[in-house]
Amino acid sequence: MVEKYHRALDAFIKGDPEHQKKLFSKRDDVTLANPLGPPARGPSAVEATMDRASSGLREGEPIRFERISGDAGTELAYIVEIEWARAKVGGSDEVSPIPLRVTTIFRREDGEWKVVHRHADPILSPRPIESLVQS
């Protein structure tokens, strides 16, 4: 499942969210927290969030997936990774690095593994406690 998930992210970074959508749960409790907005809950909100995020990406490529941690039981599994990719972002014609800290939770549904939650953000280095304060 993790290999399929990574291949789907390969397509996503090129602007195609359809492969990734197929791997996400269609149950009401599915969630996606990406760096572009508040968490989305439910299949339609998650898919709309994916569409919005992928629409700003093109000509991307993954560089590597750095596994930090992970575990699997019979019904739930998770991975924590740093995803290293690059793509043209927004209106830019320059390829930019896009590193993300990502936690993904998988759940067994009807005999298949599905993504039930993904959280991604760009925090990869220590920050002062003051960075939590929003004005």
Side-chain angles (χ1 to χ4, degrees), residues 24-111:
F24 271 67
S25 174
K26 301 300 182 214
R27 295 183 183 171
D28 289 340
D29 64 346
V30 65
T31 52
L32 173 60
N34 74 14
L36 305 177
R41 181 184 169 117
S44 61
V46 166
E47 289 187 7
T49 298
M50 286 183 195
D51 287 339
R52 187 170 77 90
S54 65
S55 71
L57 299 170
R58 61 190 198 294
E59 299 178 39
E61 65 178 345
I63 299 169
R64 73 180 186 278
F65 298 94
E66 180 184 334
R67 179 75 51 88
I68 306 301
S69 181
D71 197 12
T74 57
E75 299 299 316
L76 288 174
Y78 79 93
I79 54 174
V80 177
E81 297 180 312
I82 306 296
E83 294 176 0
W84 301 90
R86 59 182 160 235
K88 292 181 180 179
V89 179
S92 177
D93 287 327
E94 303 228 1
V95 174
S96 299
I98 306 171
L100 294 172
R101 173 180 70 168
V102 181
T103 300
T104 308
I105 301 171
F106 303 90
R107 176 172 59 202
R108 203 126 172 91
E109 296 180 0
D110 303 320

